[in-house]
Amino acid sequence: MNTTSEYVTGMQAQLKAWDANVAVLLTESRKADGEARTAYAKRLKELRLSRKAAQKSLEALRAATGATAAKTQAVMQETWDTMQKSLEKVSTELRDMTRGAQAPQPAQAPEPAEPPQAAQAPTPQETAP
């Protein structure tokens, strides 16, 4: 397993990556309207709380030494796994919600007046020079 220092460095990089993902969701939330915007705001608040918990775990690991560091690392890994799963779930749900609001409903699509016709061979007038 990595040393605590290497682990902390990796987790700092992961935290920055999550921050970038949350920033993308924040940008998308500004484009949303109605219920989608409200859902984004709620879920972004939840992600921020998870991020704070992850940051707190990282700080605890930095301060830990010896056997305490190993225990703290195990607890931190659980916190970070939860954060990762939450971020993935929220991203998927919100993007699906936004796409669903923008996509036309199949029941509202107009019925075609006539069935589409197969391509026909050109008439003699179309092929004349």
Side-chain angles (χ1 to χ4, degrees):
M1 181 171 265
N2 293 340
T3 66
T4 301
S5 176
E6 291 170 336
Y7 188 78
V8 167
T9 300
M11 291 295 108
Q12 287 173 322
Q14 183 62 52
L15 193 59
K16 286 181 182 180
W18 288 337
D19 288 344
N21 290 336
V22 170
V24 168
L25 289 174
L26 181 60
T27 300
E28 290 175 7
S29 76
R30 292 179 179 146
K31 296 175 187 174
D33 54 326
E35 289 182 36
R37 184 175 224 151
T38 302
Y40 267 98
K42 179 182 176 187
R43 299 311 291 265
L44 285 169
K45 183 177 180 179
E46 293 170 6
L47 285 174
R48 285 186 187 108
L49 291 173
S50 293
R51 194 239 185 252
K52 283 183 182 181
Q55 180 68 40
K56 193 173 187 178
S57 293
L58 181 60
E59 290 169 7
L61 182 61
R62 282 186 189 135
T65 59
T68 306
K71 288 180 184 179
T72 304
Q73 186 172 339
V75 171
M76 188 176 114
Q77 189 62 49
E78 289 179 30
T79 303
W80 288 67
D81 289 345
T82 300
M83 173 68 187
Q84 182 66 39
K85 289 175 186 174
S86 295
L87 182 60
E88 291 170 1
K89 182 180 177 190
V90 167
S91 295
T92 301
E93 288 175 356
L94 293 176
R95 288 183 179 137
D96 288 348
M97 177 188 295
T98 302
R99 283 187 205 118
Q102 295 171 351
Q105 298 295 324
Q108 297 172 348
E111 295 282 332
E114 297 177 19
Q117 297 181 1
Q120 298 177 355
T123 61
Q125 293 136 349
E126 292 175 352
T127 56

